[in-house]
Amino acid sequence: LDNVTYPIELNDQQNLVKKQMIKKWQERWDIDKHNNTYGILKPIISHWHWCRHENRALDVIMTKMRLEKIGLNKYLHKINLSPTNLCNQCNNGDIETVEHYLLSCQKYNAQRARLSSFMRQLGITQITVPSLLGASNTDPKNKKKNHN
């Protein structure tokens, strides 16, 4: 059977190549995913339809936050655009990360309280970076939500 050749439709060839590419990508992702927030949010390569927003600007901001490449001092300091990686709002020595910005920066306590109230109405009792940035296990169409 190894020597038997038969024609393969172009569409079938494309599907085989796509599957092989995704397999290789997943293998690479499995090695690197623990080195960044994005890998923790999305452990498996697949379509992430519920995280896409029809507002392109909002979609870009969310992606930048997931990648931790947004205008917060941790990133700005890393690319030499800020003299410090510390939060300028809190002045308590906290590094201004996406997690700090979303979960603990004192400047946004009032907004966070409103967000927490809204999320409790949705049945989400704990605000986490994955639940805010659309982790793979937080698909809103899923009946069994895991937001912890």
Side-chain angles (χ1 to χ4, degrees), residues 9 20 22 26 30 42 44 51 53 83 88 90 92 97 100 102 128 143 145:
E9 296 287 329
Q20 189 62 28
I22 291 172
Q26 183 67 52
D30 289 342
K42 186 154 178 60
I44 296 176
C51 292
H53 196 278
N88 297 328
C90 295
N92 61 6
T97 62
H100 172 79
L102 292 174
T128 64
K143 298 288 185 206
K145 294 180 185 172

Side-chain angles (χ1 to χ4, degrees), residues 2-19:
D2 291 336
N3 295 332
V4 176
T5 59
Y6 52 92
I8 300 176
E9 296 287 329
L10 179 60
N11 191 36
D12 292 336
Q13 290 177 8
Q14 291 170 333
N15 287 335
L16 287 171
V17 168
K18 184 177 179 181
K19 284 180 184 179

Side-chain angles (χ1 to χ4, degrees), residues 5 8 13 32 36 39 48 52 57 65 68-69 79 99 103 106 114 117 122 125 142 144:
T5 59
I8 300 176
Q13 290 177 8
D32 294 338
N36 63 57
W48 212 356
R52 302 306 303 233
M65 290 181 87
E68 297 184 338
K69 298 199 182 304
I79 61 172
E99 181 175 3
L103 303 180
Q106 296 170 6
R114 286 194 312 267
S117 174
L122 297 174
T125 57
N142 249 342
K144 298 177 183 175

Side-chain angles (χ1 to χ4, degrees), residues 19 21-34 36-51 66 134-139 142:
K19 284 180 184 179
M21 286 174 45
I22 291 172
K23 180 181 174 190
K24 291 287 185 187
W25 186 11
Q26 183 67 52
E27 288 170 1
R28 175 66 185 218
W29 190 247
D30 289 342
I31 294 168
D32 294 338
K33 70 182 173 187
H34 300 290
N36 63 57
T37 300
Y38 198 64
I40 295 166
L41 294 174
K42 186 154 178 60
I44 296 176
I45 303 297
S46 63
H47 187 59
W48 212 356
H49 62 276
W50 64 90
C51 292
R66 290 181 194 116
S136 295
N137 62 347
T138 58
D139 184 345
N142 249 342

Side-chain angles (χ1 to χ4, degrees), residues 76-90:
L76 296 176
H77 183 68
K78 182 178 180 178
I79 61 172
N80 297 317
L81 292 178
S82 173
T84 180
N85 63 357
L86 302 179
C87 179
N88 297 328
Q89 305 300 322
C90 295

Side-chain angles (χ1 to χ4, degrees), residues 81-128:
L81 292 178
S82 173
T84 180
N85 63 357
L86 302 179
C87 179
N88 297 328
Q89 305 300 322
C90 295
N91 294 318
N92 61 6
D94 286 347
I95 296 174
E96 190 178 41
T97 62
V98 170
E99 181 175 3
H100 172 79
Y101 175 78
L102 292 174
L103 303 180
S104 61
C105 185
Q106 296 170 6
K107 181 178 181 180
Y108 304 104
N109 283 341
Q111 293 88 340
R112 196 174 304 107
R114 286 194 312 267
L115 175 64
S116 180
S117 174
F118 176 74
M119 290 182 77
R120 275 194 304 276
Q121 292 173 5
L122 297 174
I124 302 168
T125 57
Q126 184 179 8
I127 297 177
T128 64

